[in-house]
Amino acid sequence: MKLLIDADFIVYKCCAAAETEIDWAEDVILVTSRFSEAYKAALHEIMRIRDEFGTFAEPILFFSHFENFRKKIYPEYKGHRNRKKPCGYKKVISALQDDYGTVIMPELEADDSMGIYATKYPGNIIVSPDKDMRQIPGKLYDFNETTLIKETDGRNWHYIQTLAGDATDGYSGVPGIGVKRAVALFEKTGYNWQTIKDAFAAKDLDEDVALMNARLAKILTKDDYDYERRVPILWSPETDNRTNNGTGPSNEVDV
């Protein structure tokens, strides 16, 4: 069994915690950091996760690529995240790549790489606090508890996020609709593309806007990736069965 770990989250948190501000008065504030402190904290987090499942569990670290295919769909995607990465971020990642198997796929976020790996090689456990990963069938450990995600529930969660949007990632979904309202709407009219189109249309938003939100919300699986060209296959309602039936480094791991 492998632990598919969202290492972006861990490294960011550990590096941010290792930062220190020095106020030189007037108009100068210097930010410093100790690499050894951030690196040690990241190792500790990984080992803590491993201990949750036993030392036989093999960690694989997933990192986001510096390019993001979603920005081609919507240039403002995550555009509000203008803060630079904390001190030592890249250096800690580089060090961890020497210690563990890692996955970084061109133009993909860590979430997508985990989704592809988890569906291509079932039986492993995704480790991530991100609610987006509720789209991927299998076991999900959110740093507090382990949940079994059924395939139907995962697909439904994609539709729910399409309507609800994600302010953290910078796409809005349908204005005025959150997760609870989206669930109520789908339970009333069915988890299908028509429900989504009607919800967007009610706010004078056309199908192109609905499709953009669905593609931004979709976490990739093994069926959403062109392995020869090394590019994602953008989601389409025509290929979704709910529409049809109503319902790098030397230590890098090969996906």
Side-chain angles (χ1 to χ4, degrees):
M1 180 183 69
K2 294 180 174 62
L3 301 173
L4 316 182
I5 300 176
D6 178 357
D8 281 344
F9 170 77
I10 290 175
V11 174
Y12 191 100
K13 180 180 72 172
C14 293
C15 288
E19 285 187 340
T20 302
E21 288 188 0
I22 301 176
D23 190 346
W24 292 96
E26 296 183 359
D27 198 34
V28 178
I29 298 176
L30 179 67
V31 178
T32 65
S33 177
R34 288 185 179 274
F35 163 75
S36 59
E37 181 180 334
Y39 177 58
K40 182 179 179 180
L43 290 176
H44 176 77
E45 283 292 307
I46 295 167
M47 293 308 298
R48 183 184 68 80
I49 294 168
R50 189 174 186 179
D51 289 343
E52 285 284 329
F53 299 94
T55 56
F56 61 88
E58 176 188 350
I60 300 180
L61 309 186
F62 288 76
F63 296 101
S64 297
H65 192 258
F66 64 90
E67 293 182 337
N68 191 326
F69 80 92
R70 288 181 176 83
K71 287 187 176 291
K72 296 178 181 178
I73 301 172
Y74 183 55
E76 288 77 22
Y77 180 76
K78 290 188 175 179
H80 61 293
R81 296 190 182 185
N82 294 321
R83 185 187 186 280
K84 75 173 186 66
K85 293 291 192 295
C87 291
Y89 184 80
K90 291 183 179 180
K91 187 173 182 179
V92 171
I93 289 178
S94 179
L96 290 174
Q97 287 176 321
D98 292 333
D99 297 328
Y100 292 98
T102 61
V103 174
I104 304 174
M105 299 178 70
E107 297 190 10
L108 301 191
E109 298 180 60
D111 291 356
D112 299 301
S113 298
M114 287 189 291
I116 291 171
Y117 193 105
T119 51
K120 189 174 182 181
Y121 306 109
N124 299 304
I125 299 176
I126 291 177
V127 180
S128 172
D130 196 331
K131 65 182 184 300
D132 292 349
M133 302 314 297
R134 290 170 61 182
Q135 294 183 31
I136 304 302
K139 291 183 178 180
L140 171 65
Y141 176 62
D142 65 359
F143 290 87
N144 292 304
E145 60 181 0
T146 302
T147 304
L148 179 62
I149 309 295
K150 297 179 180 178
E151 187 170 359
T152 300
D153 292 338
R155 289 173 173 170
N156 289 349
W157 186 251
H158 168 227
Y159 268 27
I160 291 167
Q161 288 194 284
T162 298
L163 288 191
D166 190 329
T168 302
D169 289 340
Y171 65 95
S172 60
V174 178
I177 292 185
V179 170
K180 290 184 178 180
R181 190 172 174 188
V183 170
L185 183 61
F186 283 122
E187 289 182 349
K188 179 180 180 180
T189 59
Y191 282 88
N192 54 63
W193 184 241
Q194 189 62 50
T195 297
I196 291 177
K197 288 197 300 181
D198 290 345
F200 277 89
K203 296 293 184 178
D204 296 321
L205 299 171
D206 61 25
E207 187 173 0
D208 287 342
V209 177
L211 181 60
M212 180 190 73
N213 278 269
R215 287 175 169 173
L216 293 174
K218 183 70 169 67
I219 301 301
L220 303 185
T221 69
K222 64 181 179 64
D223 298 322
D224 305 310
Y225 193 70
D226 185 327
Y227 295 91
E228 291 186 3
R229 298 173 56 221
R230 302 276 286 175
V231 295
I233 300 171
L234 298 183
W235 183 88
S236 171
E238 288 77 21
T239 58
D240 189 295
N241 65 0
R242 286 168 299 186
T243 301
N244 298 326
N245 63 21
T247 60
S250 60
N251 207 22
E252 185 171 345
V253 177
D254 182 28
V255 177

